[in-house]
């Protein structure tokens, strides 16, 4: 089986693919940051994926997919996850200098 990263390297040689990929690069980076933050927040709360799954009435595998990118992130899913770990979801906009506008 060929890894996605290997295929992506080949595909990036195609100008049309590369343009589409680069157009979504910011989205990929933000989604990756959100997922890492979710995992860190769950761990800070002292909860396992199994704990969160019970609170969300789902499976541990579903929580794993959410944290690792196997499931699309939605605002609803993020809010439910935040509730399950006893946290508050906060989304911010940041100016180019790192300050909030």
């Amino acid at each position: 089986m060929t890894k996605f990263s290997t295929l992506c390297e080949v595909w990036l040689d195609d100008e049309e693919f590369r343009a589409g990929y680069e157009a979504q690069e910011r989205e990929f980076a933000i989604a990756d940051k959100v997922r890492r933050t979710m995992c860190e927040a769950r761990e800070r709360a002292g909860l396992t994926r199994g704990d969160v799954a019970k609170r969300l009435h789902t499976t541990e595998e579903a929580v794993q997919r959410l944290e690792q990118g196997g499931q699309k992130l939605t605002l609803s899913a993020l809010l439910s996850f935040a509730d399950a770990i006893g946290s508050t979801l906060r989304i911010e906009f940041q100016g180019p200098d790192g300050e909030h506008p």
Side-chain angles (χ1 to χ4, degrees):
M1 176 181 282
T2 305
K3 291 184 177 183
F4 177 76
S5 58
T6 303
L7 288 172
C8 197
E9 286 178 27
V10 172
W11 294 336
L12 284 171
D13 287 336
D14 177 272
E15 288 184 38
E16 188 175 333
F17 177 85
R18 185 175 52 251
Y21 183 86
E22 289 172 355
Q24 292 187 352
E25 197 167 17
R26 271 190 358 178
E27 286 185 43
F28 295 150
I30 291 169
D32 183 56
K33 173 69 173 170
V34 168
R35 287 186 171 96
R36 280 186 281 120
T37 302
M38 290 170 67
C39 190
E40 292 166 3
R42 175 184 52 76
E43 289 172 351
R44 274 194 315 273
L47 298 170
T48 66
R49 287 181 178 146
D51 296 331
V52 174
K54 287 177 189 169
R55 293 176 181 195
L56 292 174
H57 307 288
T58 190
T59 64
E60 187 173 339
E61 291 78 16
V63 174
Q64 181 177 358
R65 283 192 307 273
L66 187 63
E67 287 185 352
Q68 294 184 345
Q71 180 177 331
K72 186 175 182 176
L73 291 175
T74 64
L75 185 55
S76 176
L78 292 173
L79 289 167
S80 294
F81 186 89
D83 289 344
I85 65 170
S87 191
T88 301
L89 177 65
R90 186 179 77 197
I91 299 172
E92 298 178 338
F93 290 91
Q94 198 172 51
D97 58 0
E99 296 295 319
H100 300 289

